[in-house]
Amino acid sequence: MEPSVDGKVTIKLTVTDTGKGITKEFQQNRMWEAFSQEDPLQSGTGLGLSIVNQISRALGGKPSVRSEEGQGTSISVFLQVDAIGNNPPKHIVQPAQTISVTMLGFNATHRGVAALQEVMIGYLVDWWGFRVTPEDEDDLGDILFINEDVSMVSDLTAARDFSRPVVFMHSSRGDSEVMAAVNAFERLGGWCRLVFKPKGPTKLEEAFRTAVSKMEGIRQSPSSSASHRSLSFRTAQEGSESDRDSIYSTPISPRGSPKGSWQLLGQTPTTLTRRRSEEHRESTPRPPLGQRSSTYTGTSLKNEYLPDTPTAPVTGGSDSTTASPSESSTVEITPNGSVMLRSLVGKADPDWKPVVLLVDDNHVNRKVLSSWLNKKQYEWRQATDGLEAVEVFKEHPPNFFK
């Protein structure tokens, strides 16, 4: 929109989904209230739209909603912001250069992915000066821009195609599969910048500027051979799922190469440089260690730690035997002969039941718990807070709540 007299411009931010929509009754009465949900059985807290409403009004704007049941919802926010002029963004690619970017994973029919592709092409071409090549083109561009599909990174790793820098955009921050794929790609020699959504143009510009510098370094590197650059990403896609899995399941030996995807893809492995080789390091003798402590079993405990107990004759039939001190004063607790003093073993009363002190400031919780205690035939007392619980505890004799 055109700037106003005071240098402000009105912008409109719209978020649209294709869900089940919102009823008219909920829109008119409770949609902007905190902790309100039209369907209480759905996940969530009911705070999202309330926060949007509060932030919008704090910035001097207002939200509006347009929804149709069974079709979806569109929520717009109108804000007054400062106009910054028409200065164009600074290009990443210089006029004399031609750097192409292949966008992978943006060809989905989903409306949101199509809108994302349109915005990304605007950044890459209009703002930063790249040339975007179609995903179905035979020759890939100088930089790969991958959206969401982690299998594409795994395919590049399985094919050992590290001739192009990769900018990988994903929505699941900290996802274990994503992190494993990126780490495997970089560990074997590739360069990948992982950008998590949502992310604005500033962070993306930083990622692509770094990718351009890495691309120039890859071109000048002697390890970037023609065979690597001619290896098609689609050739890697033809490999089986087990080819990609071997990247993570096969350990890489510093002296050799893993068996699996090298042979399956017909590639010659590159020998990895071994860091801090054990062969060139003078070993330092370890200091002598004292004798390790051992667990006392029945024998040592009987001989050293049990008090002297007078022997008592045990009569059995016509023969008379004498019980040893350990047999009369200890109880075996493990099959290997470990024992403990018999005096430490109490006798459980099968009819004993605890007396429970129930403390909760929520009367509903107390009612539920007391019903359960009554069902179990437990005696109980209750209190609404910690102070009252202390007073109840003091009113009863020692060991009452046991």
Side-chain angles (χ1 to χ4, degrees):
M1 298 182 182
E2 293 296 329
S4 59
V5 179
D6 57 355
K8 297 284 187 179
V9 62
T10 302
I11 64 171
K12 177 184 178 182
L13 305 175
T14 302
V15 177
T16 303
D17 65 27
T18 56
K20 63 180 183 180
I22 306 174
T23 62
K24 295 293 184 182
E25 187 274 334
F26 188 78
Q27 292 182 46
Q28 297 172 359
N29 298 316
R30 296 187 296 121
M31 188 175 68
W32 305 110
E33 294 180 3
F35 302 105
S36 63
Q37 289 179 285
E38 186 171 16
D39 185 356
L41 299 179
Q42 294 293 328
S43 60
T45 59
L47 288 172
L49 292 179
S50 174
I51 294 175
V52 169
N53 183 40
Q54 294 181 41
I55 293 178
S56 301
R57 297 188 180 280
L59 295 175
K62 61 179 182 179
S64 65
V65 60
R66 181 170 53 85
S67 182
E68 184 177 351
E69 293 186 64
Q71 299 296 323
T73 302
S74 179
I75 296 180
S76 300
V77 176
F78 296 87
L79 297 173
Q80 290 281 336
V81 297
D82 296 326
I84 60 174
N86 297 321
N87 297 327
K90 186 177 180 181
H91 276 201
I92 298 176
V93 181
Q94 302 304 318
Q97 290 180 301
T98 300
I99 300 178
S100 58
V101 176
T102 300
M103 299 176 64
L104 303 171
F106 290 87
N107 280 351
T109 57
H110 191 279
R111 184 170 59 182
V113 178
L116 176 64
Q117 182 184 32
E118 182 181 356
V119 172
M120 292 298 110
I121 291 177
Y123 289 159
L124 292 169
V125 177
D126 300 334
W127 287 25
W128 302 328
F130 290 101
R131 181 175 68 88
V132 175
T133 60
E135 182 173 346
D136 54 358
E137 189 171 302
D138 292 335
D139 190 16
L140 296 176
D142 301 300
I143 300 173
L144 302 182
F145 186 23
I146 301 176
N147 177 47
E148 295 290 345
D149 194 348
V150 67
S151 66
M152 294 183 179
V153 180
S154 301
D155 289 337
L156 290 170
T157 308
R160 297 318 195 256
D161 185 0
F162 308 126
S163 58
R164 304 170 183 84
V166 176
V167 177
F168 182 29
M169 189 164 59
H170 204 273
S171 57
S172 298
R173 183 179 298 271
D175 184 88
S176 58
E177 182 182 4
V178 171
M179 301 306 297
V182 172
N183 290 337
F185 182 77
E186 293 193 324
R187 185 174 66 249
L188 296 179
W191 184 90
C192 180
R193 173 61 58 88
L194 182 57
V195 180
F196 288 109
K197 302 175 184 176
K199 195 66 67 178
T202 302
K203 291 295 184 181
L204 283 173
E205 179 184 358
E206 178 184 342
F208 276 97
R209 285 190 183 277
T210 309
V212 169
S213 63
K214 293 295 181 181
M215 179 200 69
E216 296 172 351
I218 292 173
R219 287 178 174 177
Q220 299 172 3
S221 174
S223 62
S224 179
S225 61
S227 61
H228 273 286
R229 291 194 59 79
S230 62
L231 179 61
S232 173
F233 172 75
R234 290 156 190 86
T235 302
Q237 284 184 315
E238 295 173 1
S240 64
E241 192 72 24
S242 60
D243 300 343
R244 294 196 300 265
D245 294 342
S246 64
I247 299 299
Y248 310 106
S249 60
T250 308
I252 298 175
S253 170
R255 297 184 180 179
S257 61
K259 294 182 180 179
S261 55
W262 296 110
Q263 289 80 358
L264 290 170
L265 295 171
Q267 300 296 316
T268 302
T270 303
T271 303
L272 300 180
T273 303
R274 187 176 182 180
R275 300 182 180 180
R276 300 181 181 178
S277 174
E278 299 288 346
E279 301 169 355
H280 303 286
R281 185 190 304 170
E282 296 182 2
S283 60
T284 304
R286 295 178 60 184
L289 301 177
Q291 185 178 0
R292 296 179 62 183
S293 60
S294 59
T295 303
Y296 284 103
T297 58
T299 304
S300 58
L301 184 61
K302 295 171 185 176
N303 294 338
E304 299 180 26
Y305 292 95
L306 294 180
D308 295 333
T309 305
T311 60
V314 179
T315 304
S318 58
D319 298 332
S320 177
T321 59
T322 302
S324 65
S326 60
E327 292 174 346
S328 61
S329 58
T330 62
V331 178
E332 185 174 342
I333 58 174
T334 60
N336 64 357
S338 298
V339 297
M340 67 182 296
L341 292 175
R342 187 180 298 275
S343 60
L344 300 179
V345 181
K347 295 182 180 180
D349 184 359
D351 297 327
W352 176 84
K353 289 186 178 181
V355 180
V356 179
L357 178 56
L358 179 60
V359 185
D360 199 306
D361 60 355
N362 189 309
H363 72 281
V364 177
N365 292 342
R366 291 199 309 271
K367 186 175 181 179
V368 172
L369 292 173
S370 61
S371 299
W372 182 84
L373 292 172
N374 289 333
K375 183 179 179 180
K376 294 294 183 180
Q377 297 181 353
Y378 289 157
E379 186 177 355
W380 55 274
R381 303 292 186 273
Q382 66 175 343
T384 58
D385 54 34
L387 181 60
E388 184 179 351
V390 172
E391 297 298 329
V392 173
F393 185 84
K394 291 180 178 179
E395 292 175 357
H396 293 78
N399 298 327
F400 181 80
F401 298 101
K402 189 176 182 181

